[in-house]
Amino acid sequence: MAFQNLGTLRYQTWIDATVLNFHLLSRWYSVQGRTQVRYVDFFSAIPSISSGIHVLPEVEETSLFKQRHLIHSLPANPSAPIAFVVMHASHFFVVVFDYQDDSAFVLGRRISNVPDTPHPYYDELHDDWNRWNGPFYWSRIAALHGYDSADPKDVSVLVYNWTQNGYDCGPIASFVMESLMASGLYGASNTIQIPPIPCGHRLRLQMLATVREACRRSWEDYRYLSTTILPPGDIWSQWDDTQALTEDAIMEVENEVSGQQDASIIRELNVVGSNCPVCNRIDPGMDEHCATHSDDDLPNEDEDIPTGDQPPLDAKAQRLRDLLRRYPYVSKARDRDSRAPHAVNGANIQVESATEDPLEIIRTRKHVKDWTTGSMFRFPRPTPAVHLPAYQGRRWRPFDRKYDEYECGPVLESLYQDRNHYEIVEEAYYRPGIWTSFRDYGYRLLSSFSQMFYLDPPVRLADHILPVGIPDGYDSSHQINDHVTGDYSLRRIPPPSSPSKSKVLVEDVVILSASDMIQTSTDDSSTLINTFVRGKYEDGRHICLNLELDRVPLTSEQLEVTVDIDSLVWVTRDPQFRTPLAVYLGPVLEEKALMQKNNHVYVDILIPQSVEDAKDTGGRTEWLTMSFPLCGIPHTTFGTLSNASGSMNIYICFPRMIHRDEMTHRRAKRIPKEVLDFFWEHVLLPAISEHADVGSAPYVSLTLGEVRFKARKGTKKRPGRPKAVPFSMGVLNKINHTMKEIIQGDPLRYANYGSFFFVVDCKGIKLWAKALLFQEGSSPIDALLDGIPALDWPYMVNRNNGELLVDLGIGIHPKWDENLVGLWRLDCLEASFGAGGYLRGNIHHTCTLGRYGAMQAEMSQERARQTHVAFRSAYSLAYEVIRPNDNLPTFVMDKDAYALNSDFMQECREAIKMYSGEAKKRSYGVRDEYRMGGMAMEKIMDDLAHRLLGQVEIFLASNAILWIPSKVWFEFQARRVRALQMVQISLKELDPPNLGILTGIICHMIRCTSSTPIILDYHVRESMALLQFSRICERFGLFFLSDLDMWKAPHLKEVQQHDDLEVLKLMQAKLTKPQGQQAWPRITLDDDEERFPIGNMPTWSRLTKTIRDKPWLVMRSWTWSRQLSYLEPVAGKLFVQFTCQLWIQMEDAWLIDPEKRPEPTSLEDAVECWTLNTTFKTIRACAFNPCNAEVHGSMGTGRRQPSFSDRMSVFFPEVTQGKPARRSPWNIFWTKPGYISEYHEMMKGRTVLEQLEVTNHLAKIFSLLQTLPDATKGSAKTPGKTWRVEDERVVLVTNPKFYKIEGISKEGEQRPARRKISRAVKSRNRVHMDLMEHAGYGELMSSKAQLSERSRLEQARNRKSAKAKNARKPPERRMVIS
């Protein structure tokens, strides 16, 4: 009955007594009754009362009780207390009888008006044990054990009570009973010990896991005992209670495999447990915590505060400081409201040793250990930013204690990743810890959480837009280092009179422009490689690229300046638009988080309070906040706002779930499907249904299952994107309010969804919000609202409604007769960023050029709050030639270039085509984008025709932009890619031992032609450092492989000369050389216990014969591999189904005993079903065949056979392969409940990476099998085979991993010479000679006649034409005579 009543373990439900009793009995029997106290099961302890008279148990009942409670196997010991559970007035409590001391202990009977800490007392009115028939229990328990008990009137009754909630009494009684079994009744000081009682949901999860597992074991025992002939008098034969079980109940347990019937219970308990503040609180004295990781990339609150201005810390602040150091994830939290305003000094932001010549810095980097030589150098920032005095205006929105739920939440000490050990997942393949990971960590929102800037208007905004950082008189066109031109002296003190005579003569370098390099190179591969890869001139000198030689000087009148709004981000809790918002009725599932990259927008999150502050009276006093990027907050798509200009995404963010993934230690921002489904099903959809009118209810009042059903698409009904339904702003506000009420109404279920807010993200709108700078009456804001009328600009700019950030884009475009490309000069750009007060940021060198590229950087936090400018990005529009729509530039994998496959060749051809095509006929300017607040944008627009116009004129006069012809620039890039492609082709033909390392270098250089990729592979970073990447770029203007030699090895001597295993793995290269010799030496095993019965290198024929005749002789015995214990549970579940169903398909006639057909219930049992011993003992007649996959020296043994891991695709085909024909034996498995159908159904809801993980785990299982059926795939045309029969035997193939050999011998076996068959007929010539001699002709005449006949036939053949010779001669027609 316990299995049928598992549903009573649901949250806030009274559990059934059968579940409680079965759980405790399973614990009791697991240790064979050897516990500190004896246990009496619930039903045996109930007294038998007839007409108010207690009837003691009879002898037969006592005997059966002693058998079941193992009293005969344990020594009688009246001193051991006896415990049991009593249910009285629908309440469970624990009772302990001590017959030696004549004492009775009643634990947890009363649940209200009691102290929190249990203590012994006795109230004659409320604790009288006669009210629950305590004396009858005393007499009955003693009689069952055969004890002489004292009179119940003389028994001392002690009561221990504690506060309970009224519905968790069953789990609490079970926990107390288990504690008594484990630790006993008395503590160290001979006092009653009651341990701290966990929350009820955790106890219910633990009981559910125990009872389900115990039911499964009981069912297996029942199957075994019901089919086993027990000896007479066996104890098990006297315990046959199966008459009380129905066949339906037995079949229900038998068919229950995955626990799906309890999925809703488990999910609810996990959700409640993850949001329970009691469970998530940690002992404040605990010192050891799981490792956490800091956010070094977050803005630092103290970066602008001088050291002397730090206020002294009081005792509480010091305690908080020490506490935060233990949690680096929130170590930067500060109370920003209590911080006094301070000035922002105009500091000269310099890089390391920036006052010196960058070349001198590079010269010191000579050792390989200095990894900085593999990255680009930086330029000095000579002009400091403007000084900002201490801010005197309004800073933050007023504090509102009712803005969020600040009390009774999780505490700071619970921030580390705490895996719930009692958590059970819904399905066997669910990731463990979902609800524990995405729980409520205690983060909350203040009323000013969205503020990145102060409330008052921005301060000195124009000084931070297009600032000029280079000093007066700086020649920005001088971009060649003096070490190349020779414009320096070797003397310590050069003579002042004749400085020209002190120059150094540099003879090994030639300075060329990009057009000169194009003219120098030809279509010849060697010339192209020498010029664009090796950087060698035709006379052998080094090439130094000087793009200034191709410069086209332009004045400000020859440039067109445009301003636009490129993107928009709005953070708010109450979205408002001028048009209805379409809300998705189901979660939109994506492989990655929607906001994957940092968009430089931050929100201020209130971190949890400490345990000490939570315990103090008077309310919360800790208000520490920390800035988090939007991309670091778990979020998902909520709705969309579509119009003619495209669509804007509206995301919903859940800050209470902020945490780092326990495996990758990165921010967990993609919310799992299960957590999203729960939110839509219990929060959003009910809120929508509540406010749907009668007319719209049929369209929007849906359940999540109905939404998913309607979202299916295609003939195969694949999952599709859920429907989005528009709601007016009035209805949307009501839905938003109802969602908050639902979450606040049941925090144990929905607390992790609280404090949600919305993010409106609108990208790529520059063409809709574009205006000319020099044209009066033109504003990007007006253009934006005309193009996207749904935006309510006044409402969005209002700081009380959220924080609006827009990207102000300033485009500078040439107006010239010739098409030009603009490139930022990095020295001028770095100085401009420094003058604007921006941080160091990231610098990008276009096409590995030393002094041209792009730059991105955030502004220091305090300066950003005053100026309302958060981020700046300057780049060249030439990137638009190859820019993908998602702005994620990608090149093929290095392994594609290593294999020189069609993908690599096609990608290079497409890049060359883009650069050599129509791009040469267009002009590409430059852009300078500023991410600023809405108030700053309005201020800029007010100053557009005045101050900003003058600032642009001054900036253009600084010559920060190089203009060169488009045809020169793009032809230069095309030839660079073409030359690198030729190098890779040549290297592939040469096949050096370090081909993988060289391929990584070449691919990195190709990627750098269009972008600045992040180097992830270690061997590429190592190669760049060994090649002195930054030094070459700075000296020669472009990165060259000067020492590359395509004619002799080593081809590039500076880098590693052999690919290690990690490189080969990345390239997916084979670990063998062409001659069959292994690339890496085989490590000989010291273990000599494994012998070679047929030799370590037998011939293939001998191995085949041995496996067919005596397979056990040459195959190692099977043992369970611990590697399979750590695989994903879904792989084990699928493999168990596959094993069961494949054995079910076999005809009974082929089985030795059809009743013993393999039916595994675990992965270990399923793998054992395919061992040599099991198959041999199960199949009546079987034949074993060898497999030559992955066997050393197996070349020449026939067709290469697939390995066991590759055979996984035969038994688990992909859905794209198509369902085989109906006559195929595979067809039945493609429909439910076939395992292939289950496999396809399970893979539908998974991402590509998750699908790959499942297939890899299945392949791992197959690789460790001993045997498999020699099956063939089925298709729509060919049926294929699952079980194949040959010579009246079922054919099985064996796994070569188990062979007791080292390889196959190359020496062929000695075959007996073919014996010449004796002929019974002479040859034709011999018969002709004998016939002539027999007719009377001599030997001479006979020979002459034979020669004459040969001559006649030859002449007749020569007279025939070719047509006659080749003419087909039809067969002779036979005549049939009837």
Side-chain angles (χ1 to χ4, degrees):
M1 298 296 292
F3 187 80
Q4 287 80 5
N5 294 323
L6 281 176
T8 60
L9 286 172
R10 190 180 300 274
Y11 179 61
Q12 292 186 348
T13 304
W14 285 278
I15 69 172
D16 192 82
T18 57
V19 178
L20 173 66
N21 188 57
F22 190 79
H23 170 69
L24 293 175
L25 276 176
S26 63
R27 296 291 194 184
W28 168 261
Y29 285 128
S30 64
V31 294
Q32 299 181 357
R34 302 184 185 277
T35 57
Q36 298 292 332
V37 298
R38 293 186 181 277
Y39 173 67
V40 177
D41 73 274
F42 178 83
F43 298 102
S44 298
I46 299 176
S48 178
I49 302 175
S50 177
S51 301
I53 300 174
H54 178 223
V55 180
L56 294 176
E58 298 179 355
V59 177
E60 183 179 355
E61 183 182 359
T62 302
S63 176
L64 184 60
F65 170 82
K66 291 182 178 181
Q67 288 183 359
R68 292 187 172 182
H69 287 75
L70 308 177
I71 295 179
H72 289 313
S73 61
L74 298 175
N77 184 12
S79 64
I82 300 174
F84 55 94
V85 178
V86 178
M87 184 176 71
H88 178 71
S90 300
H91 174 66
F92 290 103
F93 57 94
V94 177
V95 178
V96 184
F97 288 161
D98 190 342
Y99 287 96
Q100 187 174 15
D101 295 338
D102 296 334
S103 302
F105 303 90
V106 183
L107 310 178
R109 180 175 172 269
R110 284 199 291 131
I111 64 175
S112 59
N113 299 326
V114 295
D116 294 335
T117 304
H119 63 280
Y121 61 92
Y122 184 78
D123 188 334
E124 295 182 357
L125 178 62
H126 299 93
D127 297 327
D128 184 11
W129 71 332
N130 288 285
R131 304 180 66 171
W132 51 275
N133 296 324
F136 293 164
Y137 278 95
W138 176 269
S139 302
R140 177 176 176 81
I141 299 299
L144 290 174
H145 287 80
Y147 296 160
D148 294 331
S149 61
D151 190 279
K153 298 179 180 179
D154 300 330
V155 176
S156 175
V157 180
L158 295 178
V159 178
Y160 284 73
N161 290 326
W162 54 87
T163 303
Q164 301 182 40
N165 54 24
Y167 50 82
D168 282 331
C169 57
I172 292 175
S174 173
F175 172 78
V176 173
M177 181 61 69
E178 291 185 68
S179 176
L180 293 173
M181 292 181 185
S183 304
L185 180 62
Y186 301 102
S189 58
N190 204 24
T191 58
I192 305 301
Q193 55 177 2
I194 302 296
I197 300 174
C199 292
H201 42 263
R202 289 201 172 191
L203 297 176
R204 290 173 183 267
L205 277 172
Q206 186 180 18
M207 291 182 65
L208 180 59
T210 304
V211 174
R212 280 174 52 184
E213 178 62 21
C215 289
R216 186 189 66 82
R217 291 198 306 267
S218 300
W219 171 71
E220 293 178 351
D221 295 339
Y222 165 75
R223 288 185 55 197
Y224 172 76
L225 296 173
S226 61
T227 58
T228 303
I229 301 177
L230 300 175
D234 190 275
I235 186 175
W236 296 104
S237 61
Q238 304 177 30
W239 286 23
D240 187 9
D241 287 345
T242 55
Q243 296 179 358
L245 297 176
T246 63
E247 287 297 328
D248 294 339
I250 297 174
M251 291 300 297
E252 186 177 356
V253 180
E254 183 175 355
N255 295 331
E256 177 56 31
V257 178
S258 63
Q260 294 182 1
Q261 67 173 11
D262 308 318
S264 60
I265 304 174
I266 297 169
R267 181 178 65 178
E268 185 178 30
L269 291 176
N270 282 330
V271 171
V272 173
S274 64
N275 292 326
C276 178
V278 179
C279 295
N280 293 328
R281 294 197 176 186
I282 309 299
D283 182 8
M286 184 181 299
D287 292 329
E288 296 182 1
H289 297 272
C290 294
T292 54
H293 298 262
S294 62
D295 279 324
D296 295 333
D297 54 339
L298 297 181
N300 190 355
E301 187 81 19
D302 299 328
E303 60 191 2
D304 298 315
I305 304 178
T307 306
D309 296 341
Q310 296 284 355
L313 300 179
D314 56 11
K316 182 177 181 180
Q318 291 179 1
R319 178 184 58 80
L320 277 176
R321 181 195 60 186
D322 298 337
L323 183 61
L324 290 175
R325 287 175 179 174
R326 294 162 52 189
Y327 301 94
Y329 190 47
V330 292
S331 61
K332 297 182 180 180
R334 299 292 185 270
D335 187 0
R336 66 176 186 177
D337 291 338
S338 63
R339 303 178 68 86
H342 59 274
V344 184
N345 297 325
N348 185 2
I349 304 176
Q350 296 279 355
V351 298
E352 296 80 7
S353 304
T355 56
E356 302 175 5
D357 187 355
L359 184 58
E360 297 296 328
I361 302 175
I362 297 174
R363 276 183 175 176
T364 61
R365 302 172 181 173
K366 297 181 179 179
H367 303 287
V368 177
K369 295 181 180 180
D370 188 0
W371 290 92
T372 56
T373 57
S375 58
M376 281 294 190
F377 54 91
R378 299 297 292 263
F379 296 89
R381 297 184 173 189
T383 305
V386 296
H387 175 79
L388 299 180
Y391 192 75
Q392 301 299 324
R394 296 178 304 160
R395 297 200 297 168
W396 314 113
R397 291 179 59 189
F399 173 72
D400 183 5
R401 188 174 281 272
K402 296 182 180 180
Y403 190 79
D404 205 346
E405 301 169 323
Y406 301 121
E407 308 290 343
C408 302
V411 294
L412 179 63
E413 286 78 0
S414 66
L415 275 184
Y416 75 92
Q417 194 77 12
D418 181 20
R419 174 69 64 85
N420 183 358
H421 301 288
Y422 302 113
E423 182 171 358
I424 308 175
V425 292
E426 263 183 57
E427 295 273 347
Y429 52 83
Y430 278 10
R431 298 174 298 279
I434 285 178
W435 294 105
T436 304
S437 298
F438 289 85
R439 67 173 188 261
D440 178 13
Y441 286 86
Y443 295 104
R444 297 295 184 265
L445 300 180
L446 295 176
S447 56
S448 59
F449 82 98
S450 61
Q451 280 188 245
M452 287 186 64
F453 317 117
Y454 292 142
L455 285 177
D456 283 344
V459 177
R460 303 193 67 170
L461 176 60
D463 292 331
H464 298 81
I465 304 298
L466 293 175
V468 178
I470 58 176
D472 295 336
Y474 180 80
D475 185 6
S476 58
S477 63
H478 181 69
Q479 297 291 334
I480 300 299
N481 194 280
D482 293 341
H483 288 77
V484 176
T485 61
D487 191 11
Y488 66 97
S489 176
L490 297 178
R491 297 182 181 181
R492 295 184 178 181
I493 303 178
S497 58
S498 57
S500 60
K501 296 182 180 179
S502 63
K503 288 186 176 181
V504 176
L505 180 61
V506 181
E507 298 180 341
D508 59 343
V509 178
V510 56
I511 300 175
L512 300 179
S513 64
S515 56
D516 293 336
M517 293 180 63
I518 295 173
Q519 295 177 1
T520 300
S521 63
T522 60
D523 293 335
D524 180 51
S525 60
S526 60
T527 307
L528 198 63
I529 292 174
N530 286 335
T531 305
F532 284 92
V533 180
R534 299 182 66 234
K536 292 295 184 69
Y537 195 53
E538 52 190 12
D539 57 2
R541 288 183 294 172
H542 292 277
I543 295 177
C544 177
L545 175 63
N546 185 8
L547 291 180
E548 300 293 335
L549 299 177
D550 294 311
R551 178 171 63 96
V552 177
L554 297 179
T555 62
S556 59
E557 291 78 10
Q558 297 167 335
L559 296 174
E560 181 180 277
V561 182
T562 60
V563 290
D564 57 65
I565 297 177
D566 182 51
S567 61
L568 176 150
V569 179
W570 183 33
V571 181
T572 180
R573 295 197 77 182
D574 302 302
Q576 179 76 27
F577 305 99
R578 296 184 181 275
T579 59
L581 173 67
V583 179
Y584 288 104
L585 298 182
V588 179
L589 304 178
E590 302 287 351
E591 293 186 7
K592 297 181 178 180
L594 284 309
M595 292 185 288
Q596 186 69 20
K597 299 171 61 177
N598 186 5
N599 57 5
H600 311 285
V601 178
Y602 298 87
V603 290
D604 221 48
I605 305 296
L606 178 68
I607 70 170
Q609 63 184 142
S610 63
V611 171
E612 183 176 343
D613 187 66
K615 291 182 178 180
D616 289 343
T617 58
R620 180 169 183 164
T621 61
E622 295 176 356
W623 305 99
L624 305 183
T625 61
M626 196 177 79
S627 293
F628 282 89
L630 286 182
C631 66
I633 301 175
H635 61 275
T636 187
T637 303
F638 180 79
T640 181
L641 200 64
S642 302
N643 53 21
S645 63
S647 61
M648 290 186 296
N649 294 321
I650 290 84
Y651 305 130
I652 182 170
C653 301
F654 302 101
R656 296 187 182 182
M657 303 181 186
I658 294 176
H659 68 283
R660 285 186 180 272
D661 187 88
E662 60 181 359
M663 300 299 295
T664 63
H665 302 298
R666 296 182 178 179
R667 297 189 189 95
K669 42 199 172 186
R670 180 182 177 273
I671 306 177
K673 173 182 178 295
E674 301 79 21
V675 181
L676 292 178
D677 288 348
F678 193 81
F679 174 76
W680 252 264
E681 187 175 359
H682 295 87
V683 180
L684 179 55
L685 291 181
I688 292 176
S689 299
E690 182 175 342
H691 300 287
D693 54 23
V694 178
S696 60
Y699 306 100
V700 300
S701 297
L702 305 174
T703 63
L704 186 59
E706 293 173 325
V707 173
R708 289 256 167 81
F709 178 82
K710 293 185 176 184
R712 298 180 304 166
K713 60 182 180 180
T715 57
K716 296 184 178 181
K717 302 301 181 182
R718 296 174 179 174
R721 198 177 186 91
K723 183 179 180 180
V725 179
F727 294 97
S728 64
M729 290 301 102
V731 177
L732 182 65
N733 292 332
K734 294 179 181 179
I735 293 174
N736 189 10
H737 181 71
T738 304
M739 289 166 56
K740 297 177 182 178
E741 289 183 343
I742 294 175
I743 295 172
Q744 294 174 359
D746 195 350
L748 286 180
R749 282 189 174 93
Y750 313 123
N752 54 329
Y753 301 107
S755 306
F756 64 85
F757 61 89
F758 301 94
V759 175
V760 179
D761 189 14
C762 189
K763 299 179 180 178
I765 56 175
K766 62 172 68 73
L767 298 180
W768 294 87
K770 179 181 178 182
L772 295 177
L773 180 62
F774 301 101
Q775 182 178 348
E776 296 184 0
S778 178
S779 171
I781 298 180
D782 298 334
L784 174 66
L785 298 181
D786 292 339
I788 309 178
L791 298 178
D792 191 347
W793 182 267
Y795 182 87
M796 298 167 68
V797 174
N798 190 342
R799 306 292 296 282
N800 294 323
N801 302 324
E803 191 73 79
L804 173 65
L805 290 97
V806 295
D807 283 353
L808 171 66
I810 301 176
I812 304 175
H813 312 278
K815 295 186 299 182
W816 190 247
D817 297 337
E818 185 180 8
N819 295 312
L820 302 177
V821 170
L823 299 176
W824 286 104
R825 292 185 174 101
L826 289 179
D827 53 350
C828 300
L829 194 60
E830 180 97 61
S832 175
F833 271 70
Y838 295 91
L839 301 178
R840 193 168 187 266
N842 298 319
I843 192 168
H844 305 278
H845 293 256
T846 303
C847 199
T848 68
L849 293 171
R851 294 179 175 267
Y852 306 93
M855 195 171 179
Q856 297 174 324
E858 294 181 356
M859 185 173 285
S860 61
Q861 192 174 63
E862 180 61 27
R863 184 178 293 273
R865 288 172 176 173
Q866 296 191 35
T867 62
H868 291 208
V869 179
F871 174 74
R872 180 185 179 186
S873 175
Y875 60 94
S876 173
L877 288 177
Y879 171 58
E880 292 292 331
V881 175
I882 49 85
R883 178 183 181 272
N885 293 332
D886 57 1
N887 198 20
L888 296 176
T890 57
F891 189 66
V892 293
M893 303 290 288
D894 289 0
K895 63 180 182 181
D896 297 318
Y898 184 89
L900 207 66
N901 56 24
S902 58
D903 293 338
F904 170 75
M905 301 298 289
Q906 179 67 20
E907 190 72 16
C908 292
R909 284 196 296 267
E910 291 295 331
I912 296 172
K913 181 179 179 181
M914 290 296 102
Y915 291 135
S916 303
E918 297 298 319
K920 296 180 179 180
K921 302 177 182 179
R922 293 188 289 264
S923 293
Y924 295 88
V926 296
R927 277 183 68 83
D928 198 5
E929 296 180 356
Y930 298 85
R931 176 150 291 185
M932 59 180 60
M935 295 179 64
M937 185 66 190
E938 290 184 335
K939 185 176 179 59
I940 285 289
M941 294 302 101
D942 294 340
D943 298 340
L944 186 63
H946 304 288
R947 189 166 183 177
L948 181 60
L949 179 60
Q951 185 69 21
V952 171
E953 292 281 357
I954 296 174
F955 185 80
L956 293 179
S958 66
N959 291 326
I961 308 169
L962 169 68
W963 300 99
I964 62 175
S966 298
K967 60 181 180 180
V968 174
W969 173 247
F970 291 119
E971 181 63 25
F972 176 84
Q973 288 187 296
R975 298 209 175 196
R976 172 84 164 182
V977 175
R978 177 57 179 161
L980 291 170
Q981 182 189 21
M982 290 180 177
V983 171
Q984 183 62 27
I985 295 173
S986 302
L987 290 174
K988 180 63 177 177
E989 295 176 353
L990 296 172
D991 194 18
N994 61 343
L995 178 60
I997 292 176
L998 298 177
T999 298
I1001 298 172
I1002 298 301
C1003 289
H1004 177 69
M1005 295 174 66
I1006 295 178
R1007 294 187 183 100
C1008 287
T1009 57
S1010 59
S1011 61
T1012 307
I1014 300 175
I1015 306 178
L1016 300 177
D1017 295 334
Y1018 173 83
H1019 68 93
V1020 179
R1021 287 189 284 114
E1022 181 187 41
S1023 299
M1024 292 296 105
L1026 293 172
L1027 292 170
Q1028 301 288 311
F1029 178 74
S1030 60
R1031 179 181 177 183
I1032 293 176
C1033 293
E1034 197 277 338
R1035 173 164 291 187
F1036 298 109
L1038 184 70
F1039 180 64
F1040 293 115
L1041 299 177
S1042 303
D1043 295 331
L1044 180 66
D1045 193 341
M1046 306 300 296
W1047 300 103
K1048 67 177 181 178
H1051 303 292
L1052 193 60
K1053 60 184 179 180
E1054 289 88 351
V1055 299
Q1056 303 292 344
Q1057 297 304 310
H1058 294 276
D1059 293 337
D1060 55 19
L1061 288 176
E1062 193 65 29
V1063 175
L1064 293 175
K1065 180 181 178 181
L1066 291 172
M1067 303 298 169
Q1068 295 186 358
K1070 296 181 179 180
L1071 297 182
T1072 55
K1073 295 181 179 179
Q1075 296 80 8
Q1077 180 183 357
Q1078 292 189 355
W1080 297 94
R1082 179 184 177 90
I1083 302 176
T1084 59
L1085 299 177
D1086 296 333
D1087 187 6
D1088 197 30
E1089 296 179 1
E1090 191 71 24
R1091 308 305 301 168
F1092 309 108
I1094 60 174
N1096 62 334
M1097 298 288 288
T1099 60
W1100 178 251
S1101 59
R1102 185 178 182 185
L1103 176 64
T1104 303
K1105 185 177 184 303
T1106 305
I1107 289 178
R1108 288 180 178 176
D1109 297 341
K1110 300 178 181 180
W1112 56 86
L1113 183 65
V1114 74
M1115 295 191 68
R1116 293 191 299 271
S1117 59
W1118 174 83
T1119 56
W1120 170 251
S1121 175
R1122 295 184 61 86
Q1123 301 176 19
L1124 301 181
S1125 302
Y1126 306 103
L1127 299 183
E1128 194 174 12
V1130 64
K1133 175 183 174 182
L1134 290 172
F1135 188 81
V1136 170
Q1137 289 182 336
F1138 148 74
T1139 302
C1140 291
Q1141 296 183 14
L1142 210 64
W1143 281 105
I1144 290 174
Q1145 192 186 37
M1146 177 173 281
E1147 184 66 34
D1148 291 348
W1150 286 103
L1151 299 175
I1152 297 177
D1153 186 359
E1155 298 295 331
K1156 296 183 179 180
R1157 186 191 305 269
E1159 295 181 9
T1161 57
S1162 65
L1163 178 59
E1164 183 175 356
D1165 296 340
V1167 174
E1168 192 173 5
C1169 291
W1170 299 108
T1171 60
L1172 193 66
N1173 293 336
T1174 302
T1175 55
F1176 195 82
K1177 294 177 181 178
T1178 305
I1179 303 176
R1180 177 174 55 82
C1182 55
F1184 297 95
N1185 284 348
C1187 177
N1188 61 8
E1190 301 177 350
V1191 178
H1192 178 62
S1194 59
M1195 297 294 295
T1197 59
R1199 178 178 57 88
R1200 175 67 64 180
Q1201 301 176 11
S1203 63
F1204 266 51
S1205 59
D1206 294 337
R1207 292 174 190 264
M1208 185 276 297
S1209 60
V1210 177
F1211 297 94
F1212 285 88
E1214 298 296 332
V1215 67
T1216 55
Q1217 297 183 10
K1219 189 175 182 180
R1222 182 176 178 83
R1223 59 192 178 94
S1224 171
W1226 297 102
N1227 181 274
I1228 190 64
F1229 299 129
W1230 282 68
T1231 57
K1232 289 189 175 181
Y1235 76 93
I1236 297 180
S1237 174
E1238 296 290 336
Y1239 169 66
H1240 293 162
E1241 188 69 23
M1242 181 273 300
M1243 296 292 269
K1244 285 181 180 179
R1246 291 177 167 255
T1247 64
V1248 177
L1249 293 178
E1250 291 173 342
Q1251 292 178 0
L1252 182 62
E1253 185 179 11
V1254 173
T1255 54
N1256 289 341
H1257 287 181
L1258 284 172
K1260 182 65 175 179
I1261 297 174
F1262 272 81
S1263 67
L1264 298 176
L1265 301 180
Q1266 265 197 320
T1267 64
L1268 270 177
D1270 194 6
T1272 55
K1273 286 185 178 180
S1275 63
K1277 296 182 179 180
T1278 58
K1281 292 183 179 181
T1282 53
W1283 295 97
R1284 188 171 66 87
V1285 178
E1286 185 177 75
D1287 296 335
E1288 291 301 314
R1289 291 186 177 185
V1290 177
V1291 181
L1292 299 168
V1293 63
T1294 56
N1295 193 344
K1297 287 187 176 181
F1298 290 85
Y1299 294 169
K1300 297 180 181 179
I1301 62 174
E1302 292 183 340
I1304 301 299
S1305 176
K1306 293 291 185 179
E1307 299 178 1
E1309 293 184 337
Q1310 294 292 334
R1311 296 184 178 181
R1314 182 177 179 181
R1315 187 175 59 181
K1316 189 176 181 180
I1317 301 176
S1318 301
R1319 301 181 58 181
V1321 180
K1322 298 178 181 178
S1323 65
R1324 185 180 185 282
N1325 293 337
R1326 182 64 179 167
V1327 173
H1328 185 265
M1329 292 286 293
D1330 292 344
L1331 290 177
M1332 292 289 290
E1333 291 178 1
H1334 181 72
Y1337 297 97
E1339 183 178 358
L1340 182 60
M1341 292 295 294
S1342 300
S1343 301
K1344 187 175 180 180
Q1346 191 173 5
L1347 292 175
S1348 299
E1349 179 67 13
R1350 291 179 181 175
S1351 177
R1352 185 184 64 80
L1353 292 175
E1354 185 177 0
Q1355 291 177 4
R1357 284 195 298 270
N1358 294 335
R1359 286 195 298 268
K1360 290 183 178 181
S1361 63
K1363 182 178 180 180
K1365 292 179 181 179
N1366 299 328
R1368 176 180 177 273
K1369 183 179 181 182
E1372 297 179 358
R1373 180 176 298 177
R1374 298 182 181 180
M1375 298 184 63
V1376 180
I1377 301 176
S1378 58

